[in-house]
Amino acid sequence: MNTVTGAMGLMTIDQREEAILAPYATKSRESLGREFPEKEHHYRGPFQRDRDRILHSAAYRRLSGKMQVFTGDQGDYHRTRLTHTQEVASIARTLGRALRLNEDLIEALALFHDIGHPPYGHAGEDALQECLKNHGGFSHNQFGLTLARELENPYPDFPGLNLTREVLAGQDHRAHKDSPIVPSLEVQLVDAADSMTYDAHDTDDAVKLAFVTLDDLSELSLTGRLLRDIQQKFTSADPRTLRRNLAHDLIELQVTNLLETTTARLEQTDFSSSAGVQEARFRLVISEQLRREKSELEEFLYDRVYRHEELIRVRSDAQHRLKMLFLHFCAQHQSLPERNEQRVQTIGRPRAVGEYLASMTDRYCDQRFDEVTAAGD
Ligand code: MG
């Protein structure tokens, strides 16, 4: 149990959570703990410590050099994997505070959720999956767990970050989407915030980078409705004002919808614990209309943005670089940095090479490719 005592007579973590959180929230004192037991911290709760461990990890810092949808060559203003993660954490905390869920757990889950992404986003993931298809495959969600359990090593006493089972369960849920286990509301909420965030910011970035126009978006149900409202409010709004307000209103509408829909449903229940929510298989949902409108927007983004010829080219170039580097490092023994060579002993060369490549930023991947191909000339 969490016996953290309040410094200088302030509230303990347990007292604070008891006073603020809803009965259905995950409480620190109910945590199932860590794989390697540790003494509790005297003023930070377990999920606060997890949040800090993730924030201070090398894998988290590398997110600044990993693309979300658009690459560093395409400008300086669009989202990176890091700023996406920060937006998810911010929106998830807003939702969590309104629903009186555990914000510390939510923030830890949000900062962690994309930590296993390889260079070049889903293109990189698909390339590594192909390289490793006969060696267990590759998924960024599973790699997030490997980073947290084995590869990050800030502590001398145990491998990994030794996160609580609640944070690892959240990532495990992402890695095993077909699992019958219904996760905690905090885990579900971060998933919902992820979707709200990328729908809003991918739309915003795609207009700013001229992949699509506001006129295109006015033909879709959700963005069309919001654009008409904005034009009514600001009758002489220029395109930049329209775009910025659209991104804002897309988030506002989705957050409000989830809060209203969920509050109405939670009022009909009398959950007394987080476990009760999971046993009852309660799921956070948005309204049916918004779900349909989001699907329409996501299909549009897929066809017009993610599969745009410019991104297809980025995708195939990145996949070529990763596959070529994979073959190179598999063939050349002792070619990896020392700690990656050590992993060969436990997981075999192909997977150790996969981990090395997955840990790279986009820029470092390009740099290694240039070095390896120059040396081969
Ligand atoms: Mg994400």
Side-chain angles (χ1 to χ4, degrees), residues 68 81 84-85 88 110 113-115 117 122 140 174 190-191 193-195 197-198 201:
Q68 179 68 20
R81 192 64 62 179
H84 159 73
T85 297
V88 173
H113 88 281
D114 268 352
I115 213 159
H117 260 290
H122 292 285
H140 77 272
R174 297 180 79 89
V190 171
D191 275 352
D194 189 24
S195 162
T197 309
Y198 60 64
H201 70 40

mmCIF file of all heavy atoms in Angstrom, residues 68 81 84-85 88 110 113-115 117 122 140 174 190-191 193-195 197-198 201, ligand 1:
data_model
loop_
_atom_site.group_PDB
_atom_site.id
_atom_site.type_symbol
_atom_site.label_atom_id
_atom_site.label_comp_id
_atom_site.label_asym_id
_atom_site.label_seq_id
_atom_site.Cartn_x
_atom_site.Cartn_y
_atom_site.Cartn_z
ATOM 1 N N GLN A 68 6.054 12.390 -37.250
ATOM 2 C CA GLN A 68 4.676 11.951 -36.985
ATOM 3 C C GLN A 68 4.078 11.548 -38.330
ATOM 4 O O GLN A 68 3.936 10.380 -38.620
ATOM 5 C CB GLN A 68 3.889 13.085 -36.308
ATOM 6 C CG GLN A 68 2.442 12.747 -35.997
ATOM 7 C CD GLN A 68 2.282 11.687 -34.923
ATOM 8 O OE1 GLN A 68 3.194 11.449 -34.135
ATOM 9 N NE2 GLN A 68 1.143 11.038 -34.890
ATOM 10 N N ARG A 81 6.911 13.510 -33.534
ATOM 11 C CA ARG A 81 6.389 12.485 -32.618
ATOM 12 C C ARG A 81 6.370 13.027 -31.181
ATOM 13 O O ARG A 81 5.496 12.679 -30.397
ATOM 14 C CB ARG A 81 7.277 11.236 -32.738
ATOM 15 C CG ARG A 81 6.750 10.001 -32.102
ATOM 16 C CD ARG A 81 5.467 9.467 -32.692
ATOM 17 N NE ARG A 81 5.526 9.051 -34.080
ATOM 18 C CZ ARG A 81 4.497 8.545 -34.742
ATOM 19 N NH1 ARG A 81 3.327 8.365 -34.158
ATOM 20 N NH2 ARG A 81 4.621 8.206 -36.019
ATOM 21 N N HIS A 84 3.452 15.663 -30.846
ATOM 22 C CA HIS A 84 2.208 14.880 -30.846
ATOM 23 C C HIS A 84 1.971 14.298 -29.456
ATOM 24 O O HIS A 84 0.881 14.402 -28.900
ATOM 25 C CB HIS A 84 2.283 13.759 -31.882
ATOM 26 C CG HIS A 84 1.325 12.632 -31.634
ATOM 27 N ND1 HIS A 84 -0.033 12.755 -31.844
ATOM 28 C CD2 HIS A 84 1.517 11.379 -31.135
ATOM 29 C CE1 HIS A 84 -0.629 11.619 -31.501
ATOM 30 N NE2 HIS A 84 0.280 10.771 -31.067
ATOM 31 N N THR A 85 3.027 13.707 -28.895
ATOM 32 C CA THR A 85 2.918 13.076 -27.576
ATOM 33 C C THR A 85 2.511 14.110 -26.516
ATOM 34 O O THR A 85 1.668 13.837 -25.652
ATOM 35 C CB THR A 85 4.279 12.432 -27.213
ATOM 36 O OG1 THR A 85 4.545 11.403 -28.168
ATOM 37 C CG2 THR A 85 4.286 11.851 -25.820
ATOM 38 N N VAL A 88 -1.128 14.929 -26.914
ATOM 39 C CA VAL A 88 -1.966 13.836 -26.379
ATOM 40 C C VAL A 88 -2.026 13.949 -24.849
ATOM 41 O O VAL A 88 -3.099 13.853 -24.246
ATOM 42 C CB VAL A 88 -1.410 12.444 -26.784
ATOM 43 C CG1 VAL A 88 -2.178 11.323 -26.077
ATOM 44 C CG2 VAL A 88 -1.484 12.251 -28.283
ATOM 45 N N ALA A 110 0.297 8.603 -21.393
ATOM 46 C CA ALA A 110 0.337 9.421 -22.614
ATOM 47 C C ALA A 110 1.782 9.645 -23.073
ATOM 48 O O ALA A 110 2.095 9.502 -24.257
ATOM 49 C CB ALA A 110 -0.368 10.749 -22.388
ATOM 50 N N HIS A 113 3.058 6.431 -24.699
ATOM 51 C CA HIS A 113 2.292 5.656 -25.664
ATOM 52 C C HIS A 113 2.978 5.473 -27.029
ATOM 53 O O HIS A 113 2.747 4.470 -27.695
ATOM 54 C CB HIS A 113 0.872 6.233 -25.841
ATOM 55 C CG HIS A 113 0.742 7.297 -26.885
ATOM 56 N ND1 HIS A 113 1.112 8.603 -26.675
ATOM 57 C CD2 HIS A 113 0.317 7.252 -28.178
ATOM 58 C CE1 HIS A 113 0.889 9.304 -27.760
ATOM 59 N NE2 HIS A 113 0.413 8.511 -28.701
ATOM 60 N N ASP A 114 3.822 6.410 -27.471
ATOM 61 C CA ASP A 114 4.458 6.279 -28.789
ATOM 62 C C ASP A 114 5.972 6.095 -28.678
ATOM 63 O O ASP A 114 6.695 6.265 -29.663
ATOM 64 C CB ASP A 114 4.169 7.529 -29.636
ATOM 65 C CG ASP A 114 2.922 7.355 -30.495
ATOM 66 O OD1 ASP A 114 2.384 6.234 -30.557
ATOM 67 O OD2 ASP A 114 2.479 8.340 -31.112
ATOM 68 N N ILE A 115 6.440 5.739 -27.499
ATOM 69 C CA ILE A 115 7.884 5.741 -27.242
ATOM 70 C C ILE A 115 8.636 4.694 -28.082
ATOM 71 O O ILE A 115 9.823 4.818 -28.340
ATOM 72 C CB ILE A 115 8.133 5.555 -25.721
ATOM 73 C CG1 ILE A 115 9.385 6.315 -25.312
ATOM 74 C CG2 ILE A 115 8.184 4.096 -25.308
ATOM 75 C CD1 ILE A 115 9.453 6.633 -23.842
ATOM 76 N N HIS A 117 8.164 4.024 -31.248
ATOM 77 C CA HIS A 117 8.147 4.249 -32.700
ATOM 78 C C HIS A 117 9.554 4.244 -33.285
ATOM 79 O O HIS A 117 10.445 4.915 -32.782
ATOM 80 C CB HIS A 117 7.449 5.561 -33.045
ATOM 81 C CG HIS A 117 6.036 5.355 -33.502
ATOM 82 N ND1 HIS A 117 5.736 4.777 -34.713
ATOM 83 C CD2 HIS A 117 4.863 5.611 -32.904
ATOM 84 C CE1 HIS A 117 4.425 4.696 -34.840
ATOM 85 N NE2 HIS A 117 3.863 5.186 -33.758
ATOM 86 N N HIS A 122 5.133 4.917 -39.346
ATOM 87 C CA HIS A 122 4.561 3.615 -39.733
ATOM 88 C C HIS A 122 5.286 3.004 -40.930
ATOM 89 O O HIS A 122 5.300 1.783 -41.075
ATOM 90 C CB HIS A 122 3.062 3.756 -39.985
ATOM 91 C CG HIS A 122 2.308 4.057 -38.720
ATOM 92 N ND1 HIS A 122 2.053 3.102 -37.764
ATOM 93 C CD2 HIS A 122 1.822 5.220 -38.228
ATOM 94 C CE1 HIS A 122 1.419 3.660 -36.744
ATOM 95 N NE2 HIS A 122 1.271 4.946 -36.994
ATOM 96 N N HIS A 140 5.652 -1.268 -32.976
ATOM 97 C CA HIS A 140 6.153 -0.177 -32.135
ATOM 98 C C HIS A 140 5.598 -0.280 -30.719
ATOM 99 O O HIS A 140 6.266 0.107 -29.767
ATOM 100 C CB HIS A 140 5.858 1.190 -32.769
ATOM 101 C CG HIS A 140 4.451 1.657 -32.642
ATOM 102 N ND1 HIS A 140 3.473 1.342 -33.556
ATOM 103 C CD2 HIS A 140 3.852 2.414 -31.696
ATOM 104 C CE1 HIS A 140 2.338 1.899 -33.180
ATOM 105 N NE2 HIS A 140 2.531 2.549 -32.058
ATOM 106 N N ARG A 174 -2.212 -1.826 -25.813
ATOM 107 C CA ARG A 174 -1.975 -1.286 -27.157
ATOM 108 C C ARG A 174 -1.309 -2.335 -28.045
ATOM 109 O O ARG A 174 -1.562 -2.397 -29.253
ATOM 110 C CB ARG A 174 -1.094 -0.042 -27.101
ATOM 111 C CG ARG A 174 -1.707 1.119 -26.354
ATOM 112 C CD ARG A 174 -0.786 2.323 -26.334
ATOM 113 N NE ARG A 174 -0.829 3.056 -27.588
ATOM 114 C CZ ARG A 174 -1.675 4.044 -27.847
ATOM 115 N NH1 ARG A 174 -2.533 4.426 -26.920
ATOM 116 N NH2 ARG A 174 -1.666 4.653 -29.002
ATOM 117 N N VAL A 190 -6.563 7.652 -22.696
ATOM 118 C CA VAL A 190 -5.371 8.045 -23.468
ATOM 119 C C VAL A 190 -5.516 7.585 -24.929
ATOM 120 O O VAL A 190 -5.143 8.318 -25.850
ATOM 121 C CB VAL A 190 -4.075 7.508 -22.808
ATOM 122 C CG1 VAL A 190 -2.861 7.720 -23.714
ATOM 123 C CG2 VAL A 190 -3.857 8.200 -21.465
ATOM 124 N N ASP A 191 -6.094 6.422 -25.146
ATOM 125 C CA ASP A 191 -6.370 5.972 -26.521
ATOM 126 C C ASP A 191 -7.290 6.966 -27.234
ATOM 127 O O ASP A 191 -7.070 7.322 -28.391
ATOM 128 C CB ASP A 191 -7.066 4.601 -26.512
ATOM 129 C CG ASP A 191 -6.068 3.459 -26.428
ATOM 130 O OD1 ASP A 191 -4.859 3.721 -26.523
ATOM 131 O OD2 ASP A 191 -6.507 2.297 -26.256
ATOM 132 N N ALA A 193 -7.786 10.124 -26.469
ATOM 133 C CA ALA A 193 -7.089 11.405 -26.653
ATOM 134 C C ALA A 193 -6.118 11.330 -27.834
ATOM 135 O O ALA A 193 -5.950 12.301 -28.572
ATOM 136 C CB ALA A 193 -6.339 11.783 -25.381
ATOM 137 N N ASP A 194 -5.488 10.174 -28.029
ATOM 138 C CA ASP A 194 -4.563 9.978 -29.155
ATOM 139 C C ASP A 194 -5.313 10.204 -30.473
ATOM 140 O O ASP A 194 -4.874 10.958 -31.342
ATOM 141 C CB ASP A 194 -3.983 8.555 -29.073
ATOM 142 C CG ASP A 194 -2.856 8.302 -30.064
ATOM 143 O OD1 ASP A 194 -2.210 9.268 -30.498
ATOM 144 O OD2 ASP A 194 -2.615 7.114 -30.376
ATOM 145 N N SER A 195 -6.469 9.575 -30.588
ATOM 146 C CA SER A 195 -7.263 9.690 -31.810
ATOM 147 C C SER A 195 -7.750 11.129 -32.031
ATOM 148 O O SER A 195 -7.675 11.657 -33.153
ATOM 149 C CB SER A 195 -8.440 8.707 -31.722
ATOM 150 O OG SER A 195 -9.432 9.047 -32.649
ATOM 151 N N THR A 197 -6.358 13.812 -30.984
ATOM 152 C CA THR A 197 -5.200 14.656 -31.251
ATOM 153 C C THR A 197 -4.743 14.519 -32.692
ATOM 154 O O THR A 197 -4.553 15.515 -33.394
ATOM 155 C CB THR A 197 -4.042 14.267 -30.297
ATOM 156 O OG1 THR A 197 -4.525 14.258 -28.971
ATOM 157 C CG2 THR A 197 -2.884 15.241 -30.408
ATOM 158 N N TYR A 198 -4.579 13.273 -33.165
ATOM 159 C CA TYR A 198 -4.040 13.182 -34.531
ATOM 160 C C TYR A 198 -5.063 13.583 -35.585
ATOM 161 O O TYR A 198 -4.683 14.147 -36.613
ATOM 162 C CB TYR A 198 -3.332 11.845 -34.825
ATOM 163 C CG TYR A 198 -4.102 10.553 -34.715
ATOM 164 C CD1 TYR A 198 -5.167 10.265 -35.538
ATOM 165 C CD2 TYR A 198 -3.702 9.585 -33.798
ATOM 166 C CE1 TYR A 198 -5.842 9.058 -35.441
ATOM 167 C CE2 TYR A 198 -4.376 8.373 -33.688
ATOM 168 C CZ TYR A 198 -5.445 8.111 -34.512
ATOM 169 O OH TYR A 198 -6.117 6.913 -34.410
ATOM 170 N N HIS A 201 -4.606 17.472 -35.421
ATOM 171 C CA HIS A 201 -3.348 18.075 -35.883
ATOM 172 C C HIS A 201 -2.923 17.622 -37.268
ATOM 173 O O HIS A 201 -2.248 18.360 -37.992
ATOM 174 C CB HIS A 201 -2.236 17.985 -34.837
ATOM 175 C CG HIS A 201 -1.650 16.634 -34.537
ATOM 176 N ND1 HIS A 201 -1.395 15.680 -35.481
ATOM 177 C CD2 HIS A 201 -1.233 16.107 -33.361
ATOM 178 C CE1 HIS A 201 -0.844 14.633 -34.905
ATOM 179 N NE2 HIS A 201 -0.739 14.858 -33.615
HETATM 180 MG MG MG B 1 0.074 8.552 -30.833
#
